[in-house]
Amino acid sequence: MALGFFSRLKEGLTRSTQKLTTGITTVFTRRKLDDAALEELEELLIAADLGPAAASHIIEEFRRSKFGKDVTDEEVKQSLAEEIAAILAPVAQPLVIDRALRPHVVLVVGVNGTGKTTTIGKLALQYQQQGLRPILVAGDTFRAAAVEQLQVWGSRTGAVVVSGPPNADAAGLAYDALTRARNEGADVLLIDTAGRLHNKAALMEELAKIIRVLQKQDPTAPHSVLLVLDATTGQNAIEQVRVFSDLVAVTGLVVTKLDGSARGGIVVALAQAFGLPVHAVGVGEQAGDLRPFEAMDFARGLVGAS
Amino acid sequence: MFDTLSGKLSGVFDRLRSRGALNEADIADALREVRLALLEADVALPVVRDFINTVRERSLGAEVLESVSPGQLVIKIVNDVLIEALGGAGAVPLNLNVAAPVPILMVGLQGSGKTTTSGKIALRLFKRDRKRVLLASLDTQRPAAQLQLQQLAQQAGVASLPIIAGQTPVEIARRAMDTGRREVFDVVILDTAGRLSIDQALMDEVRAIREATSPAETLLVVDAMTGQDAVNTARAFNEAVGVTGIVMTRMDGDARGGAALSMRQITGAPIKLTGSGEKLDALEEFHPERVAGRILGMGDIVGLVERASETVDQDEAEKLARKMARGTFDLDDYAKQLKQITKMGSLSGILGMLPGIGKMKAQIEDANLDQGILKRQAAIISSMTMKERRTPDVIKASRKKRIAAGSGTSVQEVNRLLKQFDDMSTMMKRMTKLGQKGLMRQGMGALMPKQQQNRRPY
């Protein structure tokens, strides 16, 4: 199974870098690193969603150390990967569950359709396999069949799912679930929430309410607030992280859909702007498709270094 | 955040004093700013290149007239090219011109909003066009996806295909079309599972569905927040299934929406609809000129007015307008107005929709003019007696102290509110003729520092 994990991750990341790799190869097989070449390299980073600012920052570093030198394709990839990995290394931190908390409360937030529910399902499986007892809370009481979706994940992973009637108050549900988790001595309480756009003040206020209500029972809750980001998202991800962090104190990110053609370069820009930990990456729809975020692997994958 | 393009361009052209035709050197800096603005708005790189070339061609030799600055001229050219590239004027309706039942195939990445959009289109066709619609979910991948569409069908008041476990998507598609013919439906909407454009097996599957049903419309559903990957997605889906129209979802977010331009350019298919909310009626026709303004960061004044009309209670607004016309607008009314502004969302979000607000936005953030002020002002007013609210003139020193204590604010803040209300009443008397829309705008204008109110975008 471990082998399957690894090859799938590699496969997913390879796919996501194919395009960029081809681009770099054609630019750099036999060229001096001059202004034109650097500009093309910058554009390739932009095409990977790093954003104009982060891309130009990296290229400036590059200019300082490599300008005018004759470089091979492999050298360019290697040093570009190192440059990016240096930015990402500080944020590559797994989510550590504190077993003493019973339960460690994890609130999962994000805009619509990023993969919150799927991520919770995957986390639940991981915790079960580590011998922890997770309880899942179907806090998306708004979207049609969101509760049922989480219940399917519950039965796949054997985790208990706490749910309420449609359009029930998510904060009340979370409160009850926390009571139950404390009574039953569960290790992790994973709270799903309805997707919400960060610019909708009323919906963001709802999230703040969930936190307030949880804190009535446990002033330290939630112990983790995970923002789930879709790798296909462009520069708006920066605004998403900013607003969610302001209002609900996000403690870490999960980046999903990295098995697609999107390269998730926005993660680099986010690391520079916020320095929030990236706990995991999603590379598929199956329960096992959640991986730790490895800075060097991600960076090498991003630029296609071997 | 980013300044608006117009602000940047005016900076570039401040250095430029020449009149007459624009030359290559004049526009080089300007085009660099345009390029950056487009990239920050998530327009895909190859699309940006083509776009810049078109703008360059059109700008070279363009006559700068006395009445406009070179900056304004380039902005106009950029805006024109952008609107053309987005599809020009006028919305393109859904094509339903085949024999009933008309199949509509929904495709896209995971989480782009296919199922919700299916429900919205069903409601629209049923309510507005009086069609008999059948919704069928072919999503056997995501847990409870079929149930989700069934629940949306109930909400929309249309039929949904009974769920039979274990059928393949192609089998469900055939069954949907059979049911459509047998039970005389006008339209059958086929909602497919989200799939990655590089997943060969699933792309083959959607091709098979297409061959089995020959849809009149194959709609690619795209999240407005999508980044550079929009190109890959658009190309892959277009090659596999031949996209006939695009639906941009989450237009109610604050993404600049450059993906709209990428998608349109790569597929050549028109953007037919936009989704702007989670409710089933939040589906609109696509307006290139509004999205152009948004991509360029030049504000979306129409969107602002629409947002205002959506959230503002119409009766309430009319009552307030009448009061203003009579000059009897009091603090109670002001409190109501504050509440309505708060309902429209965050203040910086609202301000972002105004053209040329870029530079001011930073100043406003510095001045800490956030939602908190609105709340505090509402608190101050609610600590007043009815008499004080109707005739604020009676509020003197000791009343001010009481109100400040009651609302947890300071006498200075009470003073500031009274001064502001006074300014506002004066202003309103002047603009009674403008009606409600004017009220909304001036209401917000009055919250800003005085000297900035009449600033023009360029």
Side-chain angles (χ1 to χ4, degrees):
Chain A
M1 186 142 185
L3 192 70
F5 272 22
F6 190 71
S7 60
R8 207 182 321 198
L9 171 65
K10 206 167 167 194
E11 199 184 307
L13 288 177
T14 316
R15 274 193 243 132
S16 69
T17 59
Q18 249 162 14
K19 242 330 191 353
L20 186 62
T21 314
T22 335
I24 290 183
T25 315
T26 52
V27 175
F28 279 105
T29 327
R30 39 178 190 289
R31 251 224 245 168
K32 222 180 197 62
L33 205 55
D34 56 9
D35 275 327
L38 281 171
E39 192 173 317
E40 280 179 59
L41 197 51
E42 182 174 346
E43 294 203 332
L44 288 164
L45 292 181
I46 288 172
D49 273 326
L50 269 80
S56 99
H57 171 89
I58 290 169
I59 294 304
E60 276 319 302
E61 289 295 308
F62 229 62
R63 180 188 298 277
R64 219 167 296 153
S65 54
K66 298 277 184 311
F67 188 78
K69 288 181 186 162
D70 272 316
V71 280
T72 67
D73 174 34
E74 201 47 46
E75 277 169 359
V76 167
K77 284 182 191 170
Q78 183 57 33
S79 40
L80 194 58
E82 279 166 17
E83 210 75 67
I84 294 173
I87 298 166
L88 294 177
V91 300
Q93 300 165 22
L95 175 61
V96 181
I97 296 299
D98 185 347
R99 291 179 187 235
L101 289 168
R102 282 179 181 261
H104 184 123
V105 180
V106 181
L107 185 66
V108 181
V109 302
V111 301
N112 317 64
T114 56
K116 288 176 291 302
T117 307
T118 307
T119 300
I120 287 181
K122 291 172 180 176
L123 284 172
L125 178 76
Q126 274 191 3
Y127 296 145
Q128 293 276 28
Q129 285 172 345
Q130 292 167 15
L132 296 167
R133 208 169 88 75
I135 289 184
L136 316 184
V137 187
D140 183 353
T141 53
F142 179 78
R143 207 205 68 198
V147 173
E148 289 83 350
Q149 188 183 345
L150 194 68
Q151 278 165 344
V152 172
W153 279 107
S155 62
R156 278 184 191 175
T157 60
V160 173
V161 178
V162 179
S163 60
N167 294 317
D169 177 32
L173 185 68
Y175 184 89
D176 292 344
L178 180 55
T179 313
R180 180 166 166 193
R182 283 158 71 106
N183 289 341
E184 296 179 10
D187 298 296
V188 193
L189 187 67
L190 289 164
I191 304 174
D192 194 10
T193 61
R196 66 201 72 222
L197 291 171
H198 50 283
N199 61 336
K200 305 229 159 159
L203 295 178
M204 294 303 287
E205 177 51 36
E206 254 177 47
L207 272 188
K209 181 182 168 192
I210 294 178
I211 294 180
R212 276 201 307 277
V213 167
L214 288 172
Q215 286 173 342
K216 286 187 179 166
Q217 279 189 67
D218 180 352
T220 63
H223 307 97
S224 304
V225 179
L226 295 188
L227 176 65
V228 180
L229 271 182
D230 183 331
T232 57
T233 310
Q235 300 307 301
N236 193 247
I238 294 174
E239 200 57 16
Q240 283 178 32
V241 174
R242 196 181 66 72
V243 177
F244 272 99
S245 294
D246 278 358
L247 293 170
V248 294
V250 172
T251 61
L253 309 175
V254 174
V255 182
T256 61
K257 304 180 202 172
L258 264 175
D259 47 335
S261 52
R263 290 160 229 153
I266 192 68
V267 175
V268 181
L270 290 172
Q272 284 183 326
F274 301 97
L276 278 172
V278 180
H279 292 314
V281 295
V283 290
E285 287 181 282
Q286 303 309 312
D289 294 334
L290 192 71
R291 303 275 174 274
F293 178 72
E294 306 278 2
M296 195 57 199
D297 287 358
F298 185 86
R300 291 170 81 92
L302 201 71
V303 300
S306 53
Chain B
M1 290 308 289
F2 347 95
D3 217 332
T4 64
L5 181 64
S6 44
K8 279 181 181 164
L9 286 187
S10 64
V12 169
F13 285 103
D14 277 348
R15 297 193 293 273
L16 203 88
R17 291 277 169 267
S18 67
R19 290 283 164 178
L22 289 172
N23 64 43
E24 184 91 39
D26 292 342
I27 56 173
D29 284 349
L31 290 181
R32 201 164 301 137
E33 294 297 342
V34 173
R35 174 180 175 276
L36 207 58
L38 293 175
L39 288 174
E40 277 171 350
D42 287 323
V43 180
L45 200 53
V47 178
V48 172
R49 275 196 212 110
D50 290 350
F51 185 85
I52 294 290
N53 287 338
T54 314
V55 174
R56 180 181 292 120
E57 277 163 30
R58 197 103 43 110
S59 303
L60 281 176
E63 284 297 320
V64 181
L65 304 169
E66 280 304 313
S67 52
V68 295
S69 70
Q72 284 171 316
L73 182 65
V74 175
I75 287 171
K76 187 185 179 310
I77 293 169
V78 169
N79 199 41
D80 289 351
V81 175
L82 192 50
I83 291 172
E84 279 166 34
L86 284 167
V92 184
L94 290 178
N95 168 29
L96 303 176
N97 294 326
V98 300
V102 181
I104 298 179
L105 183 63
M106 310 292 292
V107 298
L109 300 177
Q110 288 94 340
S112 56
K114 289 174 296 303
T115 306
T116 305
T117 304
S118 299
K120 288 177 179 180
I121 293 178
L123 179 74
R124 186 187 179 89
L125 293 177
F126 168 60
K127 284 266 159 142
R128 219 188 53 165
D129 304 330
R130 309 247 165 257
K131 301 281 186 195
R132 285 198 72 211
V133 184
L134 177 68
L135 277 170
S137 172
L138 279 51
D139 187 350
T140 54
Q141 299 274 328
R142 186 167 57 94
Q146 293 178 299
L147 197 59
Q148 183 187 353
L149 191 68
Q150 192 179 57
Q151 291 182 5
L152 289 174
Q154 278 163 11
Q155 285 175 29
V158 305
S160 64
L161 190 72
I163 298 170
I164 298 178
Q167 279 197 323
T168 67
V170 178
E171 284 166 357
I172 301 173
R174 289 216 177 87
R175 181 159 62 90
M177 293 314 295
D178 287 346
T179 309
R181 275 185 284 271
R182 204 175 48 242
E183 297 178 21
V184 216
F185 281 97
D186 298 315
V187 178
V188 177
I189 299 177
L190 304 163
D191 177 28
T192 63
R195 63 201 72 222
L196 295 164
S197 54
I198 50 173
D199 191 326
Q200 209 47 57
L202 283 179
M203 290 307 274
D204 288 345
E205 178 198 275
V206 76
R207 206 177 284 128
I209 293 168
R210 193 184 114 94
E211 274 155 23
T213 56
S214 320
E217 285 277 10
T218 302
L219 299 178
L220 178 62
V221 181
V222 189
D223 186 330
M225 300 183 286
T226 308
Q228 298 284 326
D229 188 53
V231 185
N232 304 328
T233 303
R235 193 172 289 136
F237 275 98
N238 199 34
E239 279 166 12
V241 290
V243 171
T244 62
I246 295 162
V247 183
M248 299 293 297
T249 61
R250 306 200 185 116
M251 291 294 278
D252 49 336
D254 57 4
R256 305 268 290 279
L261 182 60
S262 310
M263 289 283 171
R264 166 87 181 120
Q265 290 300 299
I266 298 291
T267 62
I271 301 166
K272 296 205 164 173
L273 296 163
T274 62
S276 54
E278 295 180 82
K279 303 238 168 73
L280 281 183
D281 57 358
L283 187 72
E284 283 152 26
E285 261 141 25
F286 177 72
H287 298 282
E289 60 288 349
R290 287 194 217 168
V291 176
R294 185 169 166 155
I295 289 174
L296 296 175
M298 299 210 293
D300 179 7
I301 198 79
V302 187
L304 176 64
V305 172
E306 271 185 4
R307 178 101 70 92
S309 61
E310 264 169 34
T311 44
V312 169
D313 182 334
Q314 209 55 35
D315 295 342
E316 197 66 44
E318 274 164 29
K319 223 186 281 170
L320 290 182
R322 275 200 301 276
K323 282 193 160 183
M324 257 182 289
R326 287 199 306 265
T328 57
F329 187 83
D330 61 22
L331 275 167
D332 238 352
D333 302 317
Y334 180 57
K336 279 180 198 147
Q337 203 194 343
L338 281 181
K339 209 158 136 201
Q340 290 182 339
I341 293 172
T342 323
K343 265 200 287 185
M344 285 170 66
S346 84
L347 206 52
S348 55
I350 301 170
L351 289 173
M353 296 174 98
L354 293 171
I357 206 84
K359 283 180 200 157
M360 270 168 74
K361 210 172 166 184
Q363 282 170 311
I364 287 160
E365 269 161 26
D366 286 346
N368 242 341
L369 203 119
D370 56 351
Q371 217 74 14
I373 284 201
L374 302 183
K375 271 193 194 157
R376 276 199 299 284
Q377 292 202 336
I380 292 171
I381 296 174
S382 58
S383 290
M384 295 177 181
T385 64
M386 283 314 288
K387 186 179 169 194
E388 287 164 348
R389 290 181 211 182
R390 282 197 201 111
T391 48
D393 288 344
V394 303
I395 304 176
K396 300 284 186 265
S398 79
R399 285 185 193 257
K400 281 179 191 169
K401 266 190 233 158
R402 195 205 74 240
I403 293 166
S407 57
T409 56
S410 63
V411 172
Q412 284 88 337
E413 277 181 277
V414 178
N415 279 334
R416 209 175 302 144
L417 169 73
L418 291 173
K419 168 87 174 61
Q420 195 179 301
F421 176 72
D422 202 42
D423 290 349
M424 220 171 119
S425 320
T426 323
M427 198 157 52
M428 276 170 188
K429 274 168 205 151
R430 267 188 264 136
M431 46 155 274
T432 349
K433 285 179 223 125
L434 287 178
Q436 302 158 24
K437 281 175 189 168
L439 158 70
M440 284 314 303
R441 248 173 269 159
Q442 287 298 342
M444 279 179 289
L447 292 167
M448 297 170 202
K450 256 263 147 86
Q451 67 274 18
Q452 293 170 352
Q453 276 176 22
N454 296 321
R455 216 129 116 200
R456 300 283 308 147
Y458 316 122

